[in-house]
Amino acid sequence: MTDLSREPLWWVPGKGLALPPRWARKVIELRRMLLLAVPIGIFAGLAVSGLEWLCTSVLWVHLARQPLLLRLSAPVLGLVASGWMLHRLQVRGIGMLNEVVVNYHQPPAQLTPGRDLLKLGACVATVGLGASAGLGGPSQWLGASVGLYFRRAVRGIRYFRGLVPVHALLIGAAAGVGAYFRAPLAGTLLAMETPFSKDLDGTALIPASVASLLAHWIHGRLMGSNPYLPFPDHAAISAKTLGAALVVGVAAGLLSRRFQVILATVRRITERMDWWARGLAGGLVTIATAWLSWHWFGDTWTLTGGTPLAAAVFAGKFLGLAAGALLLLKLVAVWATFGTTGVAGLLVVTLCVGSVLGATLQPLFPALSPAQICSVAVCAYLAANYNAPLTAIALSIEWGGPGLLLLAWIAILPAAWIGEGLANTPAKTGHRHPHRSLHR
């Protein structure tokens, strides 16, 4: 016998077609989330724009114009200041994106504005003063926090009492990362994929998309909406380019795994150091890589998230061995930043590392231009580093176009498979429904 409660419509004598209770509850829940998606998207877009403006347009833009010695001293000061704030918080370190995952699986019983402000202060000190980090994770964390705080503000309204913290968090996270990422579809999917390594939570997909689009529009009006990297809109399809994409995907997956292992090792090594010693050591190693890149390649390429370096390799300025040397220096700077007292995100770093990896391999595959192979490598490394293949596929379309999709897809598949199980968010779980993991 058919279970009518599972049918989208049923016939009610005297009333005609109506939604069964199960579907009616879904519609009410969706309407409730959509009503909150609008203000959450607006406030998340404003908050992320303000954070980016402070860190880049105020602090780092000013520091970048200063003499080399002052520019090199800033990351040391930033990491020591961040270490002091971590000491005040009585924690060894903070992974801002990982906190989003933790709050998803275990929603906080109460919100702590004082602690959250200290975390933001540590992030501003890390990124604004030039350590090798970006604002991707902080933007997702900030958007998720906006969602949670907004839910608390409206919980006294009877209509919104049924809104669960997880949905508010997902809507805000999608808005935050969609705005900063300048890719609302990829940002939405990343928020859905972030809590899991082999699954995604699509229960808030529609309202999260609305919030992400709104935040993206606001951020675009305030900070600019051009993609971070100039993805080409096409790439020739041949046996050589398909083989190149496959090799790039394998290399990206292997690099992602090695990156996570070494980062964990650095954190273990610095575990017993005092907070000031960790910050000082991380800052000194970071500025050493910056000085070497300035001495050999003309600029402090290893500082900040790495967008200027990524743009340079996309333009073909550094290829082959030169790109490989910069890749090594950048990785050392990132390990020094996040292995000590850095509080920020790895999303922009991931884009940079993927770009330079592609430039390193480009001389082996001349059938692909620097911009084409760098774009493919960015998507592959993103898929591996975040366990987020759908996000990487969406990014290839949003920043490039359908003409790039096939090569990106060929690279993403092996990268995601090789990188499976290791991610920069250790609080991830395998599946949304635990019973799926039991039958694997």
Side-chain angles (χ1 to χ4, degrees):
M1 185 176 179
T2 303
D3 183 3
L4 292 177
S5 67
R6 295 185 176 273
E7 297 297 323
L9 289 173
W10 60 0
W11 181 265
V12 179
K15 294 184 179 181
L17 289 175
L19 289 170
R22 181 171 177 268
W23 285 89
R25 286 193 297 270
K26 286 181 176 291
V27 170
I28 293 172
E29 184 181 27
L30 177 60
R31 186 169 57 188
R32 184 187 294 128
M33 287 192 288
L34 283 171
L35 284 174
L36 279 186
V38 174
I40 289 175
I42 292 172
F43 283 108
L46 291 171
V48 170
S49 299
L51 178 63
E52 184 178 354
W53 173 79
L54 177 59
C55 290
T56 59
S57 300
V58 175
L59 291 173
W60 182 247
V61 166
H62 177 70
L63 285 169
R65 301 192 189 105
Q66 303 305 312
L68 179 64
L69 183 60
L70 183 58
R71 202 189 324 166
L72 290 179
S73 63
V76 179
L77 178 62
L79 288 176
V80 172
S82 174
W84 176 79
M85 295 181 205
L86 291 174
H87 179 66
R88 288 289 304 274
L89 290 167
Q90 298 182 338
V91 295
R92 160 64 176 84
I94 295 173
M96 301 195 84
L97 185 58
N98 195 61
E99 282 210 352
V100 176
V101 180
V102 171
N103 289 339
Y104 174 92
H105 293 296
Q106 297 176 347
Q110 59 182 4
L111 301 176
T112 53
R115 292 181 65 84
D116 290 342
L117 286 174
L118 271 177
K119 294 171 187 176
L120 272 180
C123 171
V124 170
T126 301
V127 178
L129 296 182
S132 194
L135 291 174
S139 296
Q140 191 165 344
W141 176 89
L142 185 57
S145 298
V146 167
L148 291 174
Y149 277 101
F150 204 86
R151 175 188 173 271
R152 187 178 74 169
V154 301
R155 65 185 177 183
I157 302 174
R158 182 177 180 182
Y159 183 76
F160 293 112
R161 287 177 186 168
L163 182 68
V164 296
V166 165
H167 290 156
L169 179 145
L170 288 176
I171 293 169
V177 73
Y180 182 74
F181 211 11
R182 303 182 182 187
L185 175 59
T188 301
L189 290 175
L190 181 59
M192 303 295 108
E193 287 187 293
T194 293
F196 307 101
S197 59
K198 304 172 186 177
D199 206 343
L200 80 165
D201 185 346
T203 56
L205 178 61
I206 296 175
S209 301
V210 171
S212 182
L213 285 167
L214 273 172
H216 170 70
W217 180 79
I218 290 171
H219 181 271
R221 301 286 290 181
L222 297 175
M223 302 299 298
S225 58
N226 293 329
Y228 273 111
L229 299 174
F231 276 32
D233 58 3
H234 69 282
I237 303 301
S238 66
K240 291 182 178 180
T241 58
L242 291 174
L246 185 62
V247 172
V248 167
V250 172
L254 293 173
L255 178 61
S256 175
R257 292 190 72 87
R258 184 50 47 190
F259 174 85
Q260 303 296 344
V261 170
I262 294 178
L263 179 57
T265 301
V266 173
R267 284 172 173 162
R268 284 197 301 271
I269 292 172
T270 61
E271 181 71 35
R272 296 185 179 181
M273 298 172 66
D274 291 332
W275 63 267
W276 61 268
R278 277 201 305 271
L280 184 61
L284 291 175
V285 173
T286 299
I287 64 172
T289 65
W291 184 85
L292 288 173
S293 69
W294 172 82
H295 181 70
W296 289 334
F297 303 106
D299 206 346
T300 54
W301 296 107
T302 61
L303 298 184
T304 71
T307 306
L309 175 57
V313 298
F314 261 77
K317 185 172 183 177
F318 305 110
L319 298 172
L321 291 178
L326 280 168
L327 176 62
L328 179 59
L329 288 173
K330 181 63 178 175
L331 288 172
V332 172
V334 175
W335 288 325
T337 296
F338 286 94
T340 55
T341 59
V343 176
L346 283 167
L347 183 57
V348 176
V349 171
T350 296
L351 303 180
C352 174
V353 170
S355 302
V356 186
L357 173 63
T360 303
L361 298 174
Q362 196 276 334
L364 301 176
F365 306 104
L368 291 174
S369 70
Q372 290 169 341
I373 196 168
C374 287
S375 301
V376 171
V378 165
C379 295
Y381 193 65
L382 176 65
N385 219 31
Y386 280 81
N387 294 150
L390 294 180
T391 301
I393 290 172
L395 185 69
S396 72
I397 298 173
E398 282 193 284
W399 282 5
L404 188 67
L405 177 59
L406 180 59
L407 290 183
W409 183 53
I410 293 296
I412 287 167
L413 289 178
W417 178 70
I418 293 171
E420 182 184 19
L422 282 180
N424 54 39
T425 48
K428 279 177 180 277
T429 60
H431 290 283
R432 182 175 167 224
H433 301 291
H435 68 268
R436 293 185 186 174
S437 300
L438 298 176
H439 298 294
R440 284 179 63 84

